[in-house]
Each structure stands twice: as structure tokens, then as C-alpha cells.
Amino acid sequence: MKNRRHTLLWMKDLLDHMAQCHDQLQWADEGDPAQDFLADSLLNNLAECRRLCEELKAPEARSAPRFALS
């Protein structure tokens, strides 16, 4: 993410998707394969949101290159 606005928009999309997954999860029956899929999706989105929040907290880290060139 190169700028704050892009990061915030991505976070909003993730949160919207998480809300949809949560709604669907409430209707999924126990033992339904969809329940596992939705739970995994929520966990993945949560991890991505956490990464984006950490990126916003440390803006100086964003300007540093992620990979060293040899």
C-alpha cells in the first residue's frame, strides 16, 4: 500500500467482507462445510486488517523497501 487513502479503502473493503461472512456464518448449520470456509475467511481477513493497522501505525516503515536488492 503506497498511501494512507488506499490502505483505508482496502481496510473498509475487508471489514465489509467480514460483516458479510459473519452474517452468513450465523445462518450456517453446525458441521456445514461452509462454516469452516467462512471462519477461515474471517481469520484471513482479520490477519490482513491487523497488518494494515500496523502499517498505518508505523508510516516510516512503509517508506523503507521490503526487499533488499543484491
Side-chain angles (χ1 to χ4, degrees):
M1 310 293 145
K2 291 191 179 194
N3 63 45
R4 178 180 163 82
R5 179 172 166 74
H6 184 83
T7 301
L8 292 172
L9 287 172
W10 181 240
M11 287 177 67
K12 181 188 179 307
D13 288 345
L14 284 170
L15 292 171
D16 289 344
H17 185 258
M18 289 175 74
Q20 291 173 355
C21 285
H22 177 264
D23 291 345
Q24 291 174 0
L25 191 56
Q26 288 180 318
W27 291 100
D29 292 328
E30 263 188 63
D32 186 345
Q35 186 177 8
D36 289 339
F37 175 81
L38 292 166
D40 286 342
S41 182
L42 283 166
L43 287 171
N44 290 335
N45 288 339
L46 186 59
E48 181 67 8
C49 278
R50 181 181 181 143
R51 186 189 69 77
L52 292 170
C53 287
E54 289 171 354
E55 187 176 298
L56 286 173
K57 279 179 51 176
E60 65 279 356
R62 280 189 283 137
S63 61
R66 288 186 172 188
F67 303 101
L69 299 175
S70 309

